[in-house]
Amino acid sequence: MKRIPVILDGDPGHDDAIAWVLANSRPELNILAVSTAAGNQTLAKTTYNAGRIMALIGLDVPLAAGRRKPLFGELIVAPSVHGVSGLDGPALPEPVRPLEDEDAVSFVSRVLEESPEPVALVSTGPLTNTAALLLLRPDLKNKIGHIYMMGGGITKGNWTPAAEFNILVDPEAADIVFRSGLPITMAGLDVTENALVYPEDIERIRCVGNEVSRVVAEWLTFFYGFHQRIGYAGAPVHDAVAVAALVRPDLFTFEAMHVEVELCGDYARGATVGDRLHILKQPPNVSCIMGLYRERFVDLLVEAVAFYGKEPRA
Ligand code: RIB
Ligand code: CA
């Protein structure tokens, strides 16, 4: 099987963690490195969480910490959703592999340079690191094969009425990425709000009966707790959609769209404005995921945790 080289960049974060559990279980992916962004929590916390997730799932690849704050403006964090640690809930192992000395932008630049083929970037947090990479090393654009990102929303926001969290944390970064000309698959709220894992699905995952499935069930239970309090019937596992779209595009529907990122406005900053009626006469710059087969998405998550064996891991 030809494996796809990928770099995971995220701000774990419960749904980032589940996205990485999925990515690590897939034989078609060759994870070259992991980098962390500030978003759900501070960079120090998301990086510590990344190390713990990687220890849990046995992902022994380089981990590099990205930028501490957005390209402009101050950092927004989300303790109300992911807790003070950024990954509240079940106990996790301590990181095993030491953090790379280099910052993520320098380290990922080197990984891209050394890769014999273009690499897919899978971003599940603010796009700060990806934008910084494009600014620092535009010569490496030809080594980025595709960007799969969770962020934005054509029909809705979640942190403000207009803006989704990842984009709102660093709208300028998102604007740089969306203008890059690189192939982008956007998993926005239009699809991720329907990527719901219901309580009965959580039990299916827990019953797989290994350490990873138990932890994922606990992460989902915590994540669902916040969403249940605001009226959701299940946990929207936003970030796992970005990975699932890479490995199982048949589970989704896509719409080629020209999307602009709003950088100004008291109410609209961070909005991803999709030109679905082609009013701007601009070519599409993203493939926007608009629909999914929810039950089959959940099946994918059950299959992913089953990858980690039937016996509790030592
Ligand atoms: O809006 C959802 C996104 O913001 C997800 O990536 C979640 O992890 C948070 O980063
Ligand atoms: Ca995230």
Side-chain angles (χ1 to χ4, degrees), residues 11-17 39-40 78 81-82 123-126 150-152 158-159 164-167 169 189 192-193 223 236 238-239:
D11 60 339
H14 293 75
D15 51 336
D16 304 76
N40 282 324
V81 184
H82 299 275
S123 173
T124 57
M150 190 280 142
N158 64 358
W159 210 255
E164 179 277 329
F165 180 78
N166 286 340
I167 305 299
V169 170
L189 296 174
T192 69
E193 290 275 301
F223 201 46
H238 304 284
D239 293 334

mmCIF file of all heavy atoms in Angstrom, residues 11-17 39-40 78 81-82 123-126 150-152 158-159 164-167 169 189 192-193 223 236 238-239, ligand 1:
data_model
loop_
_atom_site.group_PDB
_atom_site.id
_atom_site.type_symbol
_atom_site.label_atom_id
_atom_site.label_comp_id
_atom_site.label_asym_id
_atom_site.label_seq_id
_atom_site.Cartn_x
_atom_site.Cartn_y
_atom_site.Cartn_z
ATOM 1 N N ASP A 11 -4.125 21.421 18.722
ATOM 2 C CA ASP A 11 -4.119 22.071 20.039
ATOM 3 C C ASP A 11 -4.862 21.190 21.050
ATOM 4 O O ASP A 11 -5.868 21.602 21.640
ATOM 5 C CB ASP A 11 -4.748 23.466 19.955
ATOM 6 C CG ASP A 11 -6.207 23.421 19.472
ATOM 7 O OD1 ASP A 11 -6.614 22.416 18.838
ATOM 8 O OD2 ASP A 11 -6.952 24.397 19.742
ATOM 9 N N PRO A 12 -4.421 19.943 21.224
ATOM 10 C CA PRO A 12 -5.161 19.002 22.080
ATOM 11 C C PRO A 12 -5.390 19.535 23.487
ATOM 12 O O PRO A 12 -4.452 19.912 24.182
ATOM 13 C CB PRO A 12 -4.270 17.754 22.117
ATOM 14 C CG PRO A 12 -2.913 18.216 21.737
ATOM 15 C CD PRO A 12 -3.115 19.373 20.821
ATOM 16 N N GLY A 13 -6.678 19.324 23.759
ATOM 17 C CA GLY A 13 -7.947 19.247 23.022
ATOM 18 C C GLY A 13 -8.416 17.802 22.826
ATOM 19 O O GLY A 13 -7.695 16.969 22.296
ATOM 20 N N HIS A 14 -9.660 17.568 23.346
ATOM 21 C CA HIS A 14 -10.244 16.228 23.309
ATOM 22 C C HIS A 14 -10.451 15.735 21.889
ATOM 23 O O HIS A 14 -10.145 14.576 21.560
ATOM 24 C CB HIS A 14 -11.571 16.223 24.078
ATOM 25 C CG HIS A 14 -11.404 16.451 25.546
ATOM 26 N ND1 HIS A 14 -11.131 17.697 26.076
ATOM 27 C CD2 HIS A 14 -11.433 15.589 26.597
ATOM 28 C CE1 HIS A 14 -11.013 17.587 27.388
ATOM 29 N NE2 HIS A 14 -11.187 16.334 27.749
ATOM 30 N N ASP A 15 -10.962 16.607 21.024
ATOM 31 C CA ASP A 15 -11.238 16.117 19.676
ATOM 32 C C ASP A 15 -9.979 16.013 18.823
ATOM 33 O O ASP A 15 -9.896 15.154 17.931
ATOM 34 C CB ASP A 15 -12.332 16.935 18.979
ATOM 35 C CG ASP A 15 -12.086 18.429 19.024
ATOM 36 O OD1 ASP A 15 -11.374 18.901 19.921
ATOM 37 O OD2 ASP A 15 -12.630 19.131 18.164
ATOM 38 N N ASP A 16 -8.968 16.845 19.136
ATOM 39 C CA ASP A 16 -7.655 16.645 18.499
ATOM 40 C C ASP A 16 -7.115 15.255 18.867
ATOM 41 O O ASP A 16 -6.611 14.517 18.022
ATOM 42 C CB ASP A 16 -6.639 17.673 18.980
ATOM 43 C CG ASP A 16 -7.066 19.108 18.784
ATOM 44 O OD1 ASP A 16 -7.914 19.596 19.551
ATOM 45 O OD2 ASP A 16 -6.551 19.750 17.856
ATOM 46 N N ALA A 17 -7.241 14.927 20.139
ATOM 47 C CA ALA A 17 -6.714 13.654 20.637
ATOM 48 C C ALA A 17 -7.379 12.487 19.919
ATOM 49 O O ALA A 17 -6.707 11.548 19.489
ATOM 50 C CB ALA A 17 -6.938 13.551 22.147
ATOM 51 N N GLY A 39 -4.233 27.195 21.478
ATOM 52 C CA GLY A 39 -5.641 27.389 21.097
ATOM 53 C C GLY A 39 -6.553 26.944 22.225
ATOM 54 O O GLY A 39 -6.899 27.718 23.105
ATOM 55 N N ASN A 40 -6.886 25.668 22.224
ATOM 56 C CA ASN A 40 -7.736 25.175 23.318
ATOM 57 C C ASN A 40 -7.148 25.525 24.678
ATOM 58 O O ASN A 40 -7.876 25.781 25.638
ATOM 59 C CB ASN A 40 -7.900 23.659 23.221
ATOM 60 C CG ASN A 40 -8.897 23.260 22.157
ATOM 61 O OD1 ASN A 40 -9.898 23.943 21.944
ATOM 62 N ND2 ASN A 40 -8.610 22.181 21.455
ATOM 63 N N ALA A 78 -9.778 27.930 25.674
ATOM 64 C CA ALA A 78 -11.144 27.403 25.826
ATOM 65 C C ALA A 78 -11.272 26.451 27.013
ATOM 66 O O ALA A 78 -11.657 25.284 26.869
ATOM 67 C CB ALA A 78 -11.587 26.700 24.545
ATOM 68 N N VAL A 81 -14.478 24.441 27.623
ATOM 69 C CA VAL A 81 -14.786 23.271 26.785
ATOM 70 C C VAL A 81 -13.860 22.098 27.112
ATOM 71 O O VAL A 81 -14.324 20.951 27.246
ATOM 72 C CB VAL A 81 -14.654 23.633 25.288
ATOM 73 C CG1 VAL A 81 -15.065 22.452 24.411
ATOM 74 C CG2 VAL A 81 -15.485 24.858 24.942
ATOM 75 N N HIS A 82 -12.589 22.357 27.249
ATOM 76 C CA HIS A 82 -11.599 21.273 27.385
ATOM 77 C C HIS A 82 -10.976 21.207 28.775
ATOM 78 O O HIS A 82 -10.119 20.355 29.031
ATOM 79 C CB HIS A 82 -10.504 21.437 26.332
ATOM 80 C CG HIS A 82 -11.025 21.372 24.917
ATOM 81 N ND1 HIS A 82 -11.210 20.190 24.236
ATOM 82 C CD2 HIS A 82 -11.422 22.348 24.068
ATOM 83 C CE1 HIS A 82 -11.699 20.431 23.022
ATOM 84 N NE2 HIS A 82 -11.833 21.739 22.895
ATOM 85 N N SER A 123 -4.306 19.873 10.062
ATOM 86 C CA SER A 123 -4.340 20.879 11.114
ATOM 87 C C SER A 123 -5.686 20.854 11.830
ATOM 88 O O SER A 123 -6.735 21.005 11.187
ATOM 89 C CB SER A 123 -4.106 22.275 10.503
ATOM 90 O OG SER A 123 -4.300 23.266 11.487
ATOM 91 N N THR A 124 -5.642 20.693 13.135
ATOM 92 C CA THR A 124 -6.905 20.634 13.889
ATOM 93 C C THR A 124 -6.968 21.699 14.977
ATOM 94 O O THR A 124 -7.713 21.577 15.953
ATOM 95 C CB THR A 124 -7.080 19.238 14.541
ATOM 96 O OG1 THR A 124 -5.935 18.967 15.379
ATOM 97 C CG2 THR A 124 -7.217 18.162 13.478
ATOM 98 N N GLY A 125 -6.178 22.735 14.800
ATOM 99 C CA GLY A 125 -6.206 23.867 15.722
ATOM 100 C C GLY A 125 -6.097 25.156 14.910
ATOM 101 O O GLY A 125 -6.269 25.150 13.697
ATOM 102 N N PRO A 126 -5.826 26.283 15.585
ATOM 103 C CA PRO A 126 -5.571 27.518 14.848
ATOM 104 C C PRO A 126 -4.450 27.293 13.828
ATOM 105 O O PRO A 126 -3.549 26.490 14.040
ATOM 106 C CB PRO A 126 -5.147 28.477 15.952
ATOM 107 C CG PRO A 126 -5.843 27.956 17.174
ATOM 108 C CD PRO A 126 -5.818 26.458 17.041
ATOM 109 N N MET A 150 -9.463 21.380 10.197
ATOM 110 C CA MET A 150 -10.737 21.593 10.855
ATOM 111 C C MET A 150 -10.761 23.066 11.215
ATOM 112 O O MET A 150 -9.883 23.566 11.918
ATOM 113 C CB MET A 150 -10.884 20.765 12.143
ATOM 114 C CG MET A 150 -12.308 20.809 12.705
ATOM 115 S SD MET A 150 -12.621 22.343 13.654
ATOM 116 C CE MET A 150 -14.329 22.689 13.159
ATOM 117 N N GLY A 151 -11.814 23.742 10.749
ATOM 118 C CA GLY A 151 -11.954 25.139 11.112
ATOM 119 C C GLY A 151 -12.991 25.803 10.240
ATOM 120 O O GLY A 151 -13.333 25.324 9.163
ATOM 121 N N GLY A 152 -13.499 26.919 10.745
ATOM 122 C CA GLY A 152 -14.463 27.690 9.976
ATOM 123 C C GLY A 152 -15.867 27.103 10.004
ATOM 124 O O GLY A 152 -16.139 26.122 10.677
ATOM 125 N N ASN A 158 -19.145 29.210 16.210
ATOM 126 C CA ASN A 158 -19.415 28.591 17.517
ATOM 127 C C ASN A 158 -18.800 29.383 18.672
ATOM 128 O O ASN A 158 -19.209 29.225 19.811
ATOM 129 C CB ASN A 158 -18.955 27.127 17.561
ATOM 130 C CG ASN A 158 -17.443 26.978 17.393
ATOM 131 O OD1 ASN A 158 -16.730 27.960 17.202
ATOM 132 N ND2 ASN A 158 -16.964 25.738 17.457
ATOM 133 N N TRP A 159 -17.823 30.219 18.390
ATOM 134 C CA TRP A 159 -17.227 31.025 19.461
ATOM 135 C C TRP A 159 -17.828 32.427 19.441
ATOM 136 O O TRP A 159 -17.954 33.087 20.458
ATOM 137 C CB TRP A 159 -15.706 31.062 19.369
ATOM 138 C CG TRP A 159 -15.063 31.215 20.712
ATOM 139 C CD1 TRP A 159 -14.485 32.353 21.215
ATOM 140 C CD2 TRP A 159 -14.963 30.227 21.746
ATOM 141 N NE1 TRP A 159 -14.014 32.117 22.498
ATOM 142 C CE2 TRP A 159 -14.301 30.823 22.850
ATOM 143 C CE3 TRP A 159 -15.364 28.884 21.848
ATOM 144 C CZ2 TRP A 159 -14.037 30.137 24.038
ATOM 145 C CZ3 TRP A 159 -15.093 28.199 23.018
ATOM 146 C CH2 TRP A 159 -14.442 28.818 24.093
ATOM 147 N N GLU A 164 -15.858 30.441 13.895
ATOM 148 C CA GLU A 164 -15.501 29.190 14.569
ATOM 149 C C GLU A 164 -14.205 29.425 15.330
ATOM 150 O O GLU A 164 -13.368 30.230 14.913
ATOM 151 C CB GLU A 164 -15.366 28.095 13.489
ATOM 152 C CG GLU A 164 -14.976 26.738 13.988
ATOM 153 C CD GLU A 164 -13.462 26.632 14.164
ATOM 154 O OE1 GLU A 164 -12.735 27.299 13.420
ATOM 155 O OE2 GLU A 164 -13.033 25.927 15.090
ATOM 156 N N PHE A 165 -13.987 28.670 16.398
ATOM 157 C CA PHE A 165 -12.886 28.948 17.318
ATOM 158 C C PHE A 165 -11.513 28.956 16.642
ATOM 159 O O PHE A 165 -10.740 29.907 16.829
ATOM 160 C CB PHE A 165 -12.916 27.902 18.447
ATOM 161 C CG PHE A 165 -11.822 28.072 19.462
ATOM 162 C CD1 PHE A 165 -11.919 29.045 20.452
ATOM 163 C CD2 PHE A 165 -10.690 27.276 19.413
ATOM 164 C CE1 PHE A 165 -10.911 29.210 21.392
ATOM 165 C CE2 PHE A 165 -9.673 27.436 20.348
ATOM 166 C CZ PHE A 165 -9.780 28.403 21.336
ATOM 167 N N ASN A 166 -11.172 27.909 15.903
ATOM 168 C CA ASN A 166 -9.830 27.814 15.324
ATOM 169 C C ASN A 166 -9.505 29.009 14.438
ATOM 170 O O ASN A 166 -8.390 29.520 14.447
ATOM 171 C CB ASN A 166 -9.672 26.526 14.513
ATOM 172 C CG ASN A 166 -9.538 25.294 15.388
ATOM 173 O OD1 ASN A 166 -9.203 25.403 16.563
ATOM 174 N ND2 ASN A 166 -9.818 24.135 14.826
ATOM 175 N N ILE A 167 -10.490 29.435 13.659
ATOM 176 C CA ILE A 167 -10.253 30.574 12.767
ATOM 177 C C ILE A 167 -10.207 31.869 13.571
ATOM 178 O O ILE A 167 -9.349 32.729 13.353
ATOM 179 C CB ILE A 167 -11.340 30.659 11.679
ATOM 180 C CG1 ILE A 167 -11.445 29.340 10.913
ATOM 181 C CG2 ILE A 167 -11.060 31.833 10.736
ATOM 182 C CD1 ILE A 167 -10.196 28.915 10.190
ATOM 183 N N VAL A 169 -9.236 32.355 16.607
ATOM 184 C CA VAL A 169 -8.001 32.527 17.382
ATOM 185 C C VAL A 169 -6.943 33.234 16.542
ATOM 186 O O VAL A 169 -6.193 34.065 17.023
ATOM 187 C CB VAL A 169 -7.472 31.161 17.877
ATOM 188 C CG1 VAL A 169 -6.060 31.288 18.465
ATOM 189 C CG2 VAL A 169 -8.427 30.585 18.925
ATOM 190 N N LEU A 189 -17.753 23.757 10.597
ATOM 191 C CA LEU A 189 -18.863 23.388 11.484
ATOM 192 C C LEU A 189 -20.057 22.829 10.718
ATOM 193 O O LEU A 189 -20.876 22.092 11.277
ATOM 194 C CB LEU A 189 -19.297 24.610 12.297
ATOM 195 C CG LEU A 189 -18.257 25.170 13.265
ATOM 196 C CD1 LEU A 189 -18.774 26.463 13.889
ATOM 197 C CD2 LEU A 189 -17.889 24.154 14.334
ATOM 198 N N THR A 192 -18.952 19.293 10.901
ATOM 199 C CA THR A 192 -18.493 18.744 12.194
ATOM 200 C C THR A 192 -19.564 18.824 13.276
ATOM 201 O O THR A 192 -19.575 18.023 14.208
ATOM 202 C CB THR A 192 -17.216 19.448 12.690
ATOM 203 O OG1 THR A 192 -17.518 20.810 13.069
ATOM 204 C CG2 THR A 192 -16.122 19.429 11.646
ATOM 205 N N GLU A 193 -20.492 19.761 13.142
ATOM 206 C CA GLU A 193 -21.589 19.826 14.115
ATOM 207 C C GLU A 193 -22.531 18.632 13.951
ATOM 208 O O GLU A 193 -23.359 18.358 14.820
ATOM 209 C CB GLU A 193 -22.380 21.123 13.934
ATOM 210 C CG GLU A 193 -21.619 22.361 14.355
ATOM 211 C CD GLU A 193 -21.740 22.635 15.857
ATOM 212 O OE1 GLU A 193 -22.864 22.814 16.330
ATOM 213 O OE2 GLU A 193 -20.697 22.628 16.524
ATOM 214 N N PHE A 223 -16.151 15.522 26.939
ATOM 215 C CA PHE A 223 -16.469 16.466 25.858
ATOM 216 C C PHE A 223 -17.980 16.579 25.674
ATOM 217 O O PHE A 223 -18.512 17.677 25.483
ATOM 218 C CB PHE A 223 -15.787 15.966 24.577
ATOM 219 C CG PHE A 223 -15.582 16.997 23.512
ATOM 220 C CD1 PHE A 223 -15.072 18.253 23.790
ATOM 221 C CD2 PHE A 223 -15.884 16.694 22.181
ATOM 222 C CE1 PHE A 223 -14.878 19.196 22.781
ATOM 223 C CE2 PHE A 223 -15.678 17.622 21.168
ATOM 224 C CZ PHE A 223 -15.178 18.870 21.468
ATOM 225 N N PRO A 236 -19.767 16.584 19.387
ATOM 226 C CA PRO A 236 -19.300 16.850 18.007
ATOM 227 C C PRO A 236 -17.786 16.695 17.902
ATOM 228 O O PRO A 236 -17.039 17.545 18.352
ATOM 229 C CB PRO A 236 -19.732 18.300 17.787
ATOM 230 C CG PRO A 236 -19.681 18.910 19.155
ATOM 231 C CD PRO A 236 -20.012 17.811 20.135
ATOM 232 N N HIS A 238 -15.237 17.336 16.194
ATOM 233 C CA HIS A 238 -14.848 18.195 15.071
ATOM 234 C C HIS A 238 -13.580 17.704 14.363
ATOM 235 O O HIS A 238 -13.554 17.487 13.159
ATOM 236 C CB HIS A 238 -14.592 19.622 15.579
ATOM 237 C CG HIS A 238 -15.735 20.244 16.310
ATOM 238 N ND1 HIS A 238 -16.872 20.743 15.690
ATOM 239 C CD2 HIS A 238 -15.923 20.461 17.644
ATOM 240 C CE1 HIS A 238 -17.689 21.238 16.601
ATOM 241 N NE2 HIS A 238 -17.141 21.080 17.782
ATOM 242 N N ASP A 239 -12.503 17.564 15.130
ATOM 243 C CA ASP A 239 -11.187 17.369 14.520
ATOM 244 C C ASP A 239 -11.036 16.028 13.822
ATOM 245 O O ASP A 239 -10.297 15.920 12.838
ATOM 246 C CB ASP A 239 -10.095 17.519 15.594
ATOM 247 C CG ASP A 239 -10.013 18.932 16.110
ATOM 248 O OD1 ASP A 239 -10.399 19.865 15.366
ATOM 249 O OD2 ASP A 239 -9.577 19.126 17.263
HETATM 250 O O1 RIB B 1 -14.353 24.769 16.949
HETATM 251 C C1 RIB B 1 -13.833 23.484 17.179
HETATM 252 C C2 RIB B 1 -12.349 23.494 17.161
HETATM 253 O O2 RIB B 1 -11.847 24.323 18.201
HETATM 254 C C3 RIB B 1 -11.732 22.104 17.417
HETATM 255 O O3 RIB B 1 -10.516 22.004 16.737
HETATM 256 C C4 RIB B 1 -11.497 22.110 18.900
HETATM 257 O O4 RIB B 1 -10.426 21.231 19.287
HETATM 258 C C5 RIB B 1 -11.093 23.540 19.128
HETATM 259 O O5 RIB B 1 -9.721 23.649 18.815
#
